[in-house]
Amino acid sequence: MQGSGLKNRAEKEAFYRGLLRTARALDAGALDAKAADLARRTRRIWLADASLRAEIAAARDEPARGSASRSGGAPAALAPLPAEEAPAFDPFAFSAVVVMSRQGRAGLMQKLGEITDPDQLKQIADAQHLAIDRSLTGLDALREAIVKGAEQRIADRRAAAS
Amino acid sequence: MAFFLAVANRKGGVGKSTVSVMLAHALAVWGGKRVLMMDLDSQCNASLILIGGQGWSEARKANRTIADYFFDLFDGHSMQPKDYLLHGVGDVAGADGRPARLSLLPGSLLLEDVQGELFLKQAQQSNDPDVVASRVRGRLEQLLRRFEGSFDVVILDCAPGLSFAALAALKIADKVLVPFRPDYVSQLAVDRVALLIEGRRSLADLEDIPIERRRYVCLANYVREANGRERTLIEEIALAHPILDTRLPQRDGIANAFDWVAERRSIEQKYGNAVADVRKLYTELAPMLEKVPA
């Protein structure tokens, strides 16, 4: 197995402390307790990025922030984890057919107007099986095409049922 | 007087028989109801689930199946309808350890053939096919109703398609449950069976009947919760039809429950990790299955 392993309790705690800093719900005392608990429960941590070892070594002797008995300057911190990635776009966040049926053309156009990325509009069309011209690139043209696609699906359903 | 619940969809493979049996178990065990399952599907899945292959074979050999019932009693011969029923069926015990009060009129592979024969016999008396079809359906409706005084709930597990028996079941049902899989062709099948149940010609006509007063309700089956496409399709079906909040998932407990076992178990043991799904369906549907006093 490639990578680098952390076996030492202090190293494991430092690793978890760095991770848990991004958990805003934890105060300093709870963060330290959680990191200690995780380190105790974990036999070994394999790092995919061996360069993290240097950071962890720097933070290894960092005093627990929640402990009143310790003193010293601001502890060295692990590099913060990347900010939480924005959730992936969900092409099913709303149904174009349902919005069209309940709120009409204007309602669907307004809803589509909240989306300003042409690729996301195309994702909606693909996911919801709305026939559009794939060569379209403009936002207005794509929105109009999706509205027409939804109208077509509704008409198709009514025709099949009659 | 029994409440007649038809479980129907023109499309096959949507789980009509499995849902029928699930409800039969739940109504008998949790609801304490006297339940009769009439297996109107020549695939006979409900019968196999409730009495196993050997039990079903014995019913066939004894000429005590739905096909025999229709054929023997069609012209009013003096057979006893109750002789065609099997009682205490299923491999589920009630809370007291005794068999659930569940009875079965077993299915038959010959049901379509028998319906055809009955049609031909009636055709000897009239050369108007519509009149003949109406007579056959009407008589089957009477025969399906024959047990209404002896049970609390009669579940009619219908075949896919539109046989005389299925049409008769839809006609007499107090409520029709329409299971569906959330896919494109199922949407069209639900639309069409809804029109048939309500006697309408188009979705536009159907809108004249308020959704809360429809004689049917739809049930999403085989749902994969994390699947956005399925969720969207369910929403699109709900635009035009009443639909239960319960969604039956694809789950091992449901699939495994339909192996018939020669030893009675509790309903919780039978359905395993799906018992909560069964409970949810039962809790939502049971209040709809009460007869409104005349």
Side-chain angles (χ1 to χ4, degrees):
Chain A
M1 186 184 297
Q2 291 187 345
S4 184
L6 306 176
K7 280 196 300 185
N8 177 281
R9 172 73 69 85
E11 287 175 335
K12 286 189 286 179
E13 275 195 36
F15 175 78
Y16 284 121
R17 223 179 286 130
L19 282 181
L20 294 171
R21 274 204 186 90
T22 62
R24 279 174 267 171
L26 293 176
D27 62 26
L31 185 151
D32 283 323
K34 196 67 187 170
D37 183 47
L38 288 168
R40 195 170 49 249
R41 289 165 184 264
T42 318
R43 184 180 292 277
R44 185 190 294 258
I45 300 170
W46 281 101
L47 299 174
D49 180 3
S51 67
L52 282 175
R53 240 193 194 286
E55 289 174 323
I56 290 165
R60 185 179 53 201
D61 296 324
E62 175 187 62
R65 295 170 70 207
S67 170
S69 66
R70 299 194 192 194
S71 59
L78 283 174
L81 290 177
E84 280 186 21
E85 293 178 11
F89 175 67
D90 179 6
F92 295 109
F94 64 90
S95 160
V97 164
V98 171
V99 173
M100 167 73 86
S101 296
R102 290 191 175 141
Q103 298 170 30
R105 262 188 150 257
L108 180 55
M109 196 60 91
Q110 184 181 3
K111 193 80 179 169
L112 293 170
E114 296 168 11
I115 298 168
T116 54
D117 182 343
D119 284 336
Q120 290 181 354
L121 289 172
K122 286 184 182 177
Q123 283 183 53
I124 288 175
D126 285 344
Q128 299 190 23
H129 296 181
L130 304 169
I132 65 167
D133 180 349
R134 298 290 300 161
S135 66
L136 292 174
T137 53
L139 286 170
D140 288 341
L142 282 166
R143 290 177 187 130
E144 180 62 33
I146 287 173
V147 167
K148 284 200 171 120
E151 285 175 332
Q152 188 179 359
R153 271 191 69 95
I154 292 169
D156 186 64
R157 179 179 180 181
R158 288 188 174 256
S162 61
Chain B
M1 298 285 274
F3 190 102
F4 283 84
L5 173 70
V7 183
N9 190 327
R10 292 188 69 171
K11 192 168 186 302
V14 298
K16 292 184 290 302
S17 297
T18 51
V19 167
S20 295
V21 172
M22 210 184 275
L23 279 169
H25 283 145
L27 287 163
V29 174
W30 289 326
K33 303 289 186 189
R34 298 167 301 164
V35 179
L36 171 63
M37 171 79 73
M38 300 183 86
D39 190 349
L40 303 179
D41 186 347
S42 59
Q43 295 179 90
C44 306
N45 290 333
S47 301
L48 290 166
I49 294 167
L50 288 173
I51 58 176
Q54 200 157 345
W56 178 58
S57 177
E58 287 165 9
R60 286 155 61 205
K61 286 177 189 163
N63 297 320
R64 290 294 183 262
T65 69
I66 187 79
D68 301 300
Y69 173 67
F70 283 155
F71 191 82
D72 295 343
L73 274 75
F74 192 89
D75 291 323
H77 294 153
S78 58
M79 305 295 290
Q80 288 295 323
K82 62 183 174 61
D83 291 342
Y84 295 83
L85 302 184
L86 297 173
H87 300 291
V89 300
D91 53 6
V92 167
D96 56 4
R98 296 168 71 175
R101 290 197 295 175
L102 178 48
S103 303
L104 170 70
L105 204 167
S108 170
L109 299 173
L110 302 176
L111 182 57
E112 269 82 37
D113 301 279
V114 161
Q115 290 175 89
E117 234 178 280
L118 292 172
F119 182 90
L120 290 174
K121 274 178 77 174
Q122 290 300 300
Q124 293 170 5
Q125 299 172 25
S126 169
N127 54 13
D128 183 334
D130 289 337
V131 168
V132 175
S134 177
R135 274 192 199 150
V136 174
R137 275 200 309 273
R139 184 63 181 140
L140 294 186
E141 287 168 24
Q142 290 176 338
L143 291 173
L144 290 176
R145 282 203 168 278
R146 190 61 72 88
F147 303 100
E148 63 185 336
S150 308
F151 295 92
D152 300 312
V153 181
V154 177
I155 299 177
L156 305 161
D157 180 26
C158 298
L162 292 177
S163 62
F164 288 123
L167 289 170
L170 292 183
K171 180 80 184 296
I172 71 163
D174 296 296
K175 197 80 172 176
V176 183
L177 179 63
V178 183
F180 68 92
R181 283 186 182 253
D183 58 42
Y184 175 67
V185 289
S186 284
Q187 182 184 88
L188 304 180
V190 170
D191 288 347
R192 295 208 63 82
V193 79
L195 294 177
L196 190 64
I197 291 165
E198 301 292 356
R200 292 295 195 268
R201 290 178 178 272
S202 68
L203 289 178
D205 286 347
L206 188 62
E207 284 165 11
D208 292 343
I209 307 175
I211 275 195
E212 64 275 8
R213 284 175 41 199
R214 304 263 176 98
R215 201 161 58 91
Y216 65 97
V217 65
C218 303
L219 168 67
N221 199 5
Y222 298 105
V223 177
R224 292 170 293 175
E225 283 299 335
N227 188 301
R229 178 87 193 116
E230 290 185 359
R231 190 180 71 239
T232 302
L233 273 162
I234 293 170
E235 288 173 9
E236 290 178 19
I237 287 179
L239 278 174
H241 306 294
I243 186 168
L244 293 177
D245 290 335
T246 302
R247 309 270 189 265
L248 291 182
Q250 291 187 13
R251 206 191 291 287
D252 285 347
I254 295 178
N256 294 339
F258 301 108
D259 287 358
W260 183 80
V261 173
E263 196 177 319
R264 293 190 202 277
R265 299 163 281 172
S266 69
I267 193 169
E268 289 78 14
Q269 287 169 326
K270 179 164 179 71
Y271 286 95
N273 70 355
V275 74
D277 303 308
V278 180
R279 174 72 75 172
K280 195 163 182 232
L281 175 63
Y282 163 74
T283 302
E284 188 174 6
L285 195 62
M288 299 183 197
L289 306 188
E290 300 290 336
K291 281 271 206 202
V292 175

